[in-house]
Amino acid sequence: MKLLLVEDDTELAQWLIKALKQRYEFMIDWADDGTAADQRLRQEEFDAVILDLGLPRMDGRAVLAAMRARGDTTPALILTARDTLTERIGTLHDGADDFLAKPFAIEELEARLVALVRRAHGRNTGTFSCGDLTYYSAEQRFTLRGDPLDLTPREHSLLRILIQHAGEPMSKQKIIDRMFSYDADIQLEAIEVIAHRLRKKLSHSVQIRTLRGLGYVLEAGAA
């Protein structure tokens, strides 16, 4: 999952990034103020946002309000020390999807993030299928005709993105934004190479099609 962490406490942010990357292999971008977060959310797509309320320049509620006002439905999990019933109810009414009070266990944060993304994709089981290809998100593994599919980390990331958006064209830039960190120097041609390798590993019952001017789409092919 690609996450945006919006937190002005540098020590907490660095701990969260390290813990989530090491334990769960999430890809995390970080913004330390509300204005920077708002700009990132307008320009990029994320699977979920971890949002603190007490931010400089633009507070968390304003960031959340701006998201919802422009129709951005990215799941938002609120982190805050303001643990009162009134605060929780008000924030949820403002458009938050979940609320976690500080201090918290990293395991609970991870579980809540995964649940939010599953609900957003409308796949409560966490299983995605296209033709003979199946992805089990909880276990982070693919099977092809029931057999394990051996993939490199980058092949796994690209195929996961495509199967979670099966039937939906994904541009190379969108794929890069979801696969790599904000400051990574990755060329569009790298996605072509990974897609080429994946096509060799997939059966005819599932295909990665190239749509000129739109990008790639994963579709069930001929049986």
Side-chain angles (χ1 to χ4, degrees):
M1 291 193 296
K2 182 177 181 181
L3 309 175
L4 178 62
L5 171 63
V6 190
E7 172 60 64
D8 65 323
D9 184 330
T10 302
E11 185 175 351
L12 174 59
Q14 291 177 344
W15 173 75
L16 281 173
I17 292 169
K18 182 178 180 180
L20 289 172
K21 282 185 174 180
Q22 285 183 345
R23 297 188 184 202
Y24 309 107
E25 298 183 352
F26 291 160
M27 185 168 62
I28 306 171
D29 288 346
W30 174 35
D32 61 1
D33 67 69
T35 299
D38 183 61
Q39 292 173 349
R40 295 290 298 276
L41 288 162
R42 291 175 185 273
Q43 297 169 359
E44 303 173 57
E45 290 188 9
F46 296 91
D47 292 302
V49 181
I50 305 171
L51 180 64
D52 185 31
L53 292 183
L55 298 169
R57 301 183 67 189
M58 182 178 184
D59 69 27
R61 277 195 164 179
V63 173
L64 182 61
M67 288 174 61
R68 301 312 187 221
R70 61 176 177 269
D72 185 345
T73 59
T74 302
L77 188 152
I78 304 301
L79 294 182
T80 184
R82 305 173 190 173
D83 187 20
T84 66
L85 179 60
T86 300
E87 184 70 32
R88 291 197 299 270
I89 292 174
T91 306
L92 290 169
H93 280 314
D94 287 342
D97 296 277
D98 203 351
F99 194 103
L100 192 56
K102 302 174 183 176
F104 53 85
I106 193 70
E107 293 84 0
E108 182 178 6
L109 174 60
E110 183 272 341
R112 288 175 180 268
L113 287 170
V114 170
L116 284 181
V117 173
R118 284 178 184 171
R119 289 202 298 268
H121 285 300
R123 308 291 184 91
N124 293 326
T125 63
T127 302
F128 300 79
S129 297
C130 184
D132 289 335
L133 182 69
T134 303
Y135 177 60
Y136 301 91
S137 60
E139 303 163 28
Q140 298 187 39
R141 66 182 179 90
F142 283 95
T143 61
L144 185 63
R145 299 195 189 97
D147 296 323
L149 185 60
D150 186 25
L151 301 171
T152 67
R154 286 190 174 184
E155 290 168 355
H156 185 283
S157 294
L158 175 54
L159 193 55
R160 174 182 54 78
I161 292 167
L162 291 176
I163 200 169
Q164 287 178 336
H165 297 83
E168 173 188 345
M170 296 290 290
S171 70
K172 294 176 187 176
Q173 189 58 57
K174 269 190 178 182
I175 291 170
I176 285 177
D177 288 344
R178 288 177 175 267
M179 283 182 65
F180 303 99
S181 61
Y182 180 69
D183 56 354
D185 184 18
I186 302 296
Q187 302 300 316
L188 295 178
E189 290 76 12
I191 303 302
E192 297 175 5
V193 173
I194 301 169
H196 177 71
R197 294 202 306 258
L198 280 172
R199 287 187 177 110
K200 291 183 176 181
K201 295 185 176 183
L202 297 175
S203 68
H204 294 298
S205 68
V206 58
Q207 301 174 353
I208 299 175
R209 290 183 55 206
T210 302
L211 302 180
R212 188 175 298 275
L214 296 176
Y216 296 110
V217 62
L218 188 71
E219 295 180 339

